[in-house]
Amino acid sequence: MPCALLGATAQAQTPAYHRLTGDQVIWNRKPEGGDIAAAYPHAARDAERGGAAVLECLLTPKGGVADCVVLAESEPAFGEASLRVVRKFGFDPRKAPPEALTGAVVAIPISWGAPQAVPPSNLEYVAGRRAYLMTPTKAGGKIACGTKAAPDQRCDLHDLSWDRQPYLEDTATAVRSVNGGPPVTGLLCTTRPDRQLDGCEPLGEPTDAQLNAMDQLAGMFTAKAEADDKTPLAQGRVMLRFNWPVLRRAVDASRLSPPTKP
């Protein structure tokens, strides 16, 4: 059959990948201290500097991981080191049905250099990964949060988790719509009775494309009723950060993101 005809009739099939979350995979093997020591980046060790990376890997039918990619890293050396030690992760495939393992993708966070390690949760590779409840305080306060009525007001920040938040693949279209502009922007929002974001104000002089993307993303979140330290949500406003270069890298690296449009 002529090559031209083969090219016209053959169609590349995109593998069907699906996400397994961390609580769906029970690791029975992980890198040990010697593995970490052998792979630790030399310059970081000499400087007593910790770090982190988040990898995305395919699960194998034999209980291992394969074809890992770096979604985010505190610095490239820690991403490279994580790729070397991630092969030490393993699970018991007998505890998962074969159909669940076919095309299964899992994100693996790896910290380096405790107690100096960077928590993987600080790597802003998923929109809304770092969010805070900002509450006004009468004195002190970590940041300035003045208003027209109270120009000298200061606020405290409380780490905030979500009841509902998007995965990488959910954010891909919005993130890819941003080209240029400040690398980091944000939103400061009130919340509705159902704890969804409302009345959001932009932070950081975003472009029109960033404004539109943040508006799309804001609708994907539902906050918990309390911040992580039990401060009630109703006492303040929600602040989100968007690190656009980090978000774009992760979206483009993930197998679960929809393909880019030609």
Side-chain angles (χ1 to χ4, degrees):
M1 184 179 293
C3 292
L5 184 56
L6 277 173
T9 57
Q11 295 183 357
Q13 297 295 317
T14 302
Y17 297 117
H18 64 278
R19 175 185 302 282
L20 290 182
T21 57
D23 58 355
Q24 293 175 302
V25 182
I26 307 301
W27 303 110
N28 57 17
R29 300 190 310 276
K30 289 186 178 182
E32 298 179 351
D35 304 314
I36 297 296
Y40 207 102
H42 295 298
R45 179 189 288 115
D46 293 344
E48 297 183 351
R49 187 172 65 251
V54 179
L55 308 184
E56 182 183 273
C57 302
L58 288 174
L59 298 182
T60 70
K62 294 184 177 180
V65 297
D67 298 332
C68 299
V69 297
V70 178
L71 295 180
E73 59 201 1
S74 57
E75 57 183 277
F78 286 112
E80 295 166 4
S82 297
L83 287 172
R84 290 197 292 273
V85 301
V86 73
R87 69 192 69 177
K88 299 292 185 178
F89 279 85
F91 64 97
D92 187 348
R94 295 171 298 179
K95 296 183 178 180
E99 61 272 17
L101 294 180
T102 302
V105 172
V106 65
I108 303 178
I110 301 177
S111 292
W112 294 81
Q116 299 88 5
V118 175
S121 59
N122 285 2
L123 301 179
E124 301 171 293
Y125 70 101
V126 180
R129 175 54 63 97
R130 295 185 73 181
Y132 306 93
L133 179 65
M134 191 169 72
T135 58
T137 183
K138 293 182 179 178
K142 295 180 180 179
I143 62 169
C145 58
T147 64
K148 290 183 179 180
D152 298 326
Q153 179 175 272
R154 297 191 66 81
C155 288
D156 285 330
L157 293 179
H158 313 264
D159 289 335
L160 181 69
S161 302
W162 302 104
D163 263 349
R164 179 179 66 95
Q165 66 182 111
Y167 289 113
L168 278 177
E169 58 270 27
D170 303 318
T171 69
T173 299
V175 169
R176 286 172 173 159
S177 71
V178 172
N179 291 288
V184 178
T185 61
L187 290 175
L188 186 60
C189 308
T190 58
T191 53
R192 304 198 305 246
D194 60 4
R195 304 196 307 280
Q196 293 189 5
L197 304 183
D198 195 19
C200 295
E201 302 172 9
L203 303 171
E205 300 183 358
T207 64
D208 287 345
Q210 288 172 323
L211 282 171
N212 290 333
M214 289 192 296
D215 184 61
Q216 294 178 50
L217 294 169
M220 301 180 185
F221 294 94
T222 301
K224 290 184 178 295
E226 298 176 327
D228 295 354
D229 64 1
K230 304 302 182 183
T231 301
L233 181 69
Q235 289 187 8
R237 293 189 289 175
V238 174
M239 185 170 69
L240 299 85
R241 281 170 47 100
F242 300 94
N243 189 322
W244 297 105
V246 173
L247 292 173
R248 181 60 182 265
R249 174 187 175 172
V251 159
D252 287 346
S254 175
R255 293 176 176 83
L256 295 167
S257 296
T260 54
K261 295 180 180 180

